[in-house]
Amino acid sequence: MSDRNASSAELAAVSAAFPLHGKFVTGALYGSGHINDTFAVTLDQAGAPVRYILQRVNHRIFKDVPALMDNIRRVTAHTARRAAAGADGARRALTLVPARTGEPFHRDAVGAYWRCYLFIEKAATYDIVRDAQQASEAAAAVGQFQHLLVDLPGARLHETIPHFHDTPRRFAALRAAIDRNPQGRAVAAAEEIEFALAREPIVGRLLQLHAAGRMPERITHNDTKFNNVMLDDATGRALCVIDLDTVMPGLALYDFGDMVRSATNSTAEDDPEPRNVRMRMDIFEGLLAGYLSSAGAFLNETERAHLAFSGRLITFEIGMRFLTDFLEGDVYFKTKHPRHNLDRCRNQFALVRSIEAQETAMQKLVAQMQPDR
Ligand code: ADP
Ligand code: GN1
Ligand code: MG
């Protein structure tokens, strides 16, 4: 899949479907997400430029967008209520702008779904973590997000992508792609395939603990990549977690594991040179401190004991997903060239190796941060 642009005229028409004041000035693709088409649009409001985020939701991947938007409406309303109590409330939670119809999305003439958010100004997302302090900030925001959702009122959230972090199922999907080999690409990925198949014994570990009643279902974000946390330009502090498409029932460690995956990496996720990839221990320590500062109060013993492991598992899981998509011909993630998914897979598997080599030391840090020590 590659990025799908939109013309200015199209963006102006979509903007008009939302109750935004002012005259449309301009709009352009924005950010580096792999799933949705994100645009920043600017309106002239009495001489002042005001920006909004418009997103065309990927409805090939998200099969039931109205259900997804119902989740987002509930979650943003709940987190905003909490954030509003503190300073800078409007930047501390994502604010959804409903369409003029009152629905949380707009459906255009070709059936695409659009949503609109207030633009969080003077803040940014980053692909690579700079230092332990930044890691701690982001992880504290993720823990805080989970904490805020503990008392979300209403029914269980919709599962926007069923079995999203079901690692055994991801493993089975990879195996099926290897067997089918529809693009004849398996030969180019022989080493990665071997690497993946050798790790089957770990794939079920978290779900087995859940089935045994030792790891509870919670409301989790499920896509806590570092660039899904907005950081304030002036203070460097985390403002809020964004990209809420996959907020649904899950395990707390899916979120911590994905932070380890995306934040400790010494290089970009699609750096094609595996030798550049290293799990940075100081960043892991920052993540741990930040996450425990906000989530420590509700995590149980079993969850704590698997914090380091979750980084290995989720990194392996996303690596398998990139490999599966490479074998299937790049049907899921946005790619810029035919080896893109294979490069990403190599990068993730190099990170798995680096975590494996350092897991004892990671585990030691976890033990040192137990509350009873
Ligand atoms: P994707 O699912 O494709 O990753 P995201 O929701 O993460 O899409 O948005 C892509 C990028 O757009 C983010 O990384 C962030 O930089 C920017 N972005 C998203 N929402 C906002 C917002 N409300 N204010 C400012 N920037 C935003
Ligand atoms: C996708 O939407 P984005 O770019 O934040 C993906 C995540 C992967 C990530 C890998 C809905 O996240 O699961 O971990 O790419 N999101 C979805 O970079 O599949
Ligand atoms: Mg994103």
Side-chain angles (χ1 to χ4, degrees):
M1 291 288 120
S2 48
D3 262 323
R4 286 183 50 238
N5 214 332
S7 66
S8 261
E10 193 180 351
L11 292 173
V14 173
S15 301
F18 295 89
L20 311 180
H21 302 296
K23 189 175 169 307
F24 179 88
V25 180
T26 179
L29 273 171
Y30 193 78
S32 59
H34 294 344
I35 305 296
N36 297 307
D37 303 318
T38 303
F39 303 87
V41 297
T42 305
L43 276 79
D44 180 335
Q45 297 187 355
V50 177
R51 295 199 282 181
Y52 294 89
I53 287 281
L54 286 183
Q55 279 183 322
R56 183 163 47 200
V57 183
N58 186 326
H59 70 268
R60 203 175 29 80
I61 287 178
F62 298 107
K63 309 280 184 218
D64 187 349
V65 179
L68 176 156
M69 290 308 299
D70 186 52
N71 281 358
I72 292 189
R73 184 186 53 73
R74 289 173 56 197
V75 166
T76 52
H78 189 69
T79 52
R81 255 197 307 278
R82 294 301 188 74
D88 210 7
R91 295 166 77 235
R92 296 198 157 274
L94 211 45
T95 310
L96 185 70
V97 181
R100 287 186 192 275
T101 57
E103 287 189 298
F105 56 83
H106 161 66
R107 197 146 194 217
D108 70 15
V110 296
Y113 292 90
W114 292 84
R115 68 177 162 226
C116 179
Y117 288 118
L118 297 188
F119 195 103
I120 300 176
E121 295 286 358
K122 302 195 177 75
T125 55
Y126 302 89
D127 291 338
I128 303 183
V129 171
R130 193 188 52 219
D131 56 30
Q133 180 57 32
Q134 208 178 40
S136 170
E137 276 296 317
V142 168
Q144 170 71 2
F145 182 78
Q146 292 181 339
H147 184 64
L148 284 179
L149 293 174
V150 164
D151 61 353
L152 180 78
R156 190 170 184 266
L157 289 176
H158 305 283
E159 293 193 34
T160 58
I161 301 184
H163 312 292
F164 190 60
H165 278 298
D166 184 332
T167 321
R169 231 177 145 101
R170 297 290 190 184
F171 186 86
L174 171 61
R175 200 155 16 215
I178 297 167
D179 291 346
R180 277 197 331 113
N181 192 18
Q183 307 283 323
R185 286 176 164 187
V187 61
E191 263 180 53
E192 290 66 37
I193 290 174
E194 191 189 334
F195 180 96
L197 294 180
R199 280 159 183 76
E200 184 174 14
I202 68 164
V203 297
R205 200 173 293 172
L206 294 188
L207 282 174
Q208 282 154 11
L209 290 165
H210 171 62
R214 295 176 56 197
M215 214 173 258
E217 175 180 298
R218 302 182 185 281
I219 297 176
T220 51
H221 182 286
N222 298 303
D223 188 4
T224 49
K225 184 150 100 169
F226 181 60
N227 71 12
N228 285 331
V229 180
M230 303 262 346
L231 301 174
D232 185 279
D233 288 344
T235 63
R237 304 211 62 174
L239 285 169
C240 63
V241 182
I242 60 167
D243 202 348
L244 308 178
D245 297 314
T246 53
V247 177
M248 59 182 152
L251 303 182
L253 295 193
Y254 295 156
D255 287 353
F256 186 72
D258 202 31
M259 290 243 86
V260 175
R261 176 190 80 80
S262 61
T264 67
N265 198 338
S266 50
T267 189
E269 185 183 80
D270 52 7
D271 183 338
E273 179 47 75
R275 273 176 304 195
N276 295 339
V277 176
R278 188 170 45 84
M279 196 297 293
R280 294 177 290 171
M281 193 62 86
D282 61 324
I283 303 295
F284 178 72
E285 192 168 0
L287 290 178
L288 204 53
Y291 185 60
L292 290 176
S293 75
S294 50
F298 62 80
L299 293 178
N300 73 21
E301 279 297 304
T302 307
E303 288 170 317
R304 285 168 180 277
H306 290 81
L307 284 162
F309 172 74
S310 72
R312 169 153 61 110
L313 184 73
I314 298 301
T315 307
F316 178 55
E317 180 189 285
I318 311 296
M320 282 199 295
R321 289 176 58 200
F322 287 139
L323 180 54
T324 305
D325 201 33
F326 172 72
L327 295 172
E328 288 180 342
D330 310 322
V331 294
Y332 187 94
F333 295 105
K334 287 183 181 172
T335 51
K336 295 201 161 71
H337 54 86
R339 287 177 51 94
H340 206 160
N341 273 316
L342 182 58
D343 287 345
R344 288 169 174 153
C345 161
R346 288 200 171 137
N347 177 302
Q348 298 295 291
F349 284 180
L351 186 59
V352 171
R353 270 192 217 283
S354 181
I355 294 175
E356 286 171 352
Q358 302 182 75
E359 204 166 325
T360 309
M362 292 165 81
Q363 200 53 42
K364 221 168 168 175
L365 281 178
V366 173
Q368 279 165 7
M369 288 198 202
Q370 295 304 335
D372 56 346
R373 292 187 50 129

